[in-house]
Amino acid sequence: KVVVKKPAQVGFSEALNNWIGYVIHHAPGPMLLVQPTVDLCKRYSKQRIAPMINETPVLTSRVAEEKSRDSSNTMLEKEFPGGMLLMTGANSSVGLRSMPAKFLALDEIDAYPPNVDDEGDPIELAVARTSTFARSKICMGSTPTVTGRSRSDVACEETDQRQFWLPCPHCNDLQVLHFTRLVWPKGKPEKVEYQSIHCNQFIQNYQKTWMLARGEWRPTAECDPTIRGYALTGLLSPVGWLNWASIAAKYEQAEKKPDFLQTI
């Protein structure tokens, strides 16, 4: 089992897509992808899965065209030699218990309902689908919501709680990035810098490219060795995506509107 607690727009969904592509190409078997709702699942299939299959020749050759007479490829079902990808919503008990799954991908679990159709927790219903496979794999991830009610918080507590350590470009010592080390003149978030916890030198946003390439994941807790957890912060977002200046600007906005803090 792999659990990922992450901010928005750091590439987790794309990682799931790559896993799906790998299963279709190299490790065929029954796979279940769960989104918070069936409607979101349909949108995800149309905007993410279908383009990936259509634009990747090795996948196109394995999955029939959706508009062909072969009904094995629909919006929510993709058959391929040796397996099938089934996509469903956490609000559908029928979808969650429709087939055994060797591979299970659970996206945005904090948005799942607490109980689906009076049949219980949707995550537990989905995980039960993997029980017939001795070598099953489960990956779940989400942007956390409210502390104490967040599924991803609870799930991460059962893992080895890995954090990403990056080298300082000045002293090369490894550190975990924390928001409190961001500094900028009040009212000028575009001038934000990150102050290294070791040498107190200032790091620029563009230097993250060098840092990320040399970083490493380190566990911070002991647990069942078959379970791993990864906690990411928006400070790790690659250059060209969410930058430190945007985070600083959102924080200044949140001083006037506290609800904005949840979106940082």
Side-chain angles (χ1 to χ4, degrees):
K1 181 192 293 185
V2 174
V3 180
V4 180
K5 184 170 66 172
K6 48 85 179 181
Q9 302 301 316
V10 292
F12 176 72
S13 294
E14 195 60 36
L16 289 183
N17 295 344
N18 279 269
W19 183 29
I20 291 169
Y22 181 88
V23 169
I24 295 173
H25 185 194
H26 293 292
M31 185 171 195
L32 178 62
L33 169 64
V34 183
Q35 293 286 335
T37 67
V38 173
D39 286 342
L40 283 174
C41 212
K42 291 178 179 178
R43 186 187 309 168
Y44 192 90
S45 175
K46 183 177 180 180
Q47 296 179 351
R48 307 293 292 273
I49 301 300
M52 178 183 72
I53 292 173
N54 294 337
E55 296 172 16
T56 309
V58 74
L59 301 183
T60 305
S61 65
R62 286 167 167 75
V63 181
E65 290 186 18
E66 190 170 329
K67 295 182 179 180
S68 72
R69 294 183 179 181
D70 186 347
S71 61
S72 65
N73 185 347
T74 65
M75 183 174 289
L76 298 180
E77 294 184 14
K78 309 291 183 184
E79 284 192 11
F80 46 90
M84 168 190 283
L85 169 64
L86 177 66
M87 294 167 275
T88 191
N91 62 341
S92 170
S93 59
V94 174
L96 293 175
R97 52 179 168 79
S98 58
M99 75 169 193
K102 183 177 182 180
F103 307 107
L104 173 62
L106 303 162
D107 198 9
E108 292 301 341
I109 59 175
D110 275 29
Y112 288 11
N115 190 303
V116 54
D117 300 333
D118 293 326
E119 294 193 23
D121 182 84
I123 292 180
E124 293 304 315
L125 289 175
V127 170
R129 300 292 89 204
T130 68
S131 60
T132 55
F133 292 91
R135 293 176 60 84
S136 61
K137 178 169 283 189
I138 301 168
C139 181
M140 62 177 70
S142 185
T143 301
T145 50
V146 180
T147 301
R149 301 204 302 268
S150 168
R151 288 179 179 274
S152 54
D153 273 348
V154 174
C156 265
E157 288 175 0
E158 300 173 353
T159 74
D160 58 3
Q161 302 177 41
R162 293 171 179 248
Q163 293 187 314
F164 199 59
W165 292 69
L166 300 90
C168 170
H170 302 290
C171 66
N172 214 41
D173 284 341
L174 294 172
Q175 61 190 300
V176 175
L177 300 188
H178 294 285
F179 175 76
T180 55
R181 304 296 297 182
L182 283 183
V183 293
W184 68 92
K186 188 172 178 60
K188 297 182 179 180
E190 70 278 3
K191 295 184 178 296
V192 67
E193 297 175 301
Y194 189 91
Q195 190 169 23
S196 173
I197 196 171
H198 298 296
C199 64
N200 286 323
Q201 294 293 311
F202 291 103
I203 303 170
Q204 308 302 318
N205 185 80
Y206 74 86
Q207 293 177 293
K208 278 193 295 183
T209 300
W210 181 90
M211 297 166 68
L212 289 169
R214 293 160 177 80
E216 61 184 52
W217 288 101
R218 291 181 176 180
T220 62
E222 294 184 0
C223 71
D224 182 332
T226 66
I227 304 175
R228 287 191 177 184
Y230 299 86
L232 291 89
T233 165
L235 298 175
L236 295 171
S237 188
V239 174
W241 293 15
L242 179 66
N243 58 39
W244 293 341
S246 297
I247 293 174
K250 286 184 178 181
Y251 182 79
E252 288 199 343
Q253 292 174 356
E255 291 182 316
K256 299 177 181 178
K257 296 182 179 181
D259 287 347
F260 279 21
L261 282 175
Q262 282 187 273
T263 66
I264 297 179

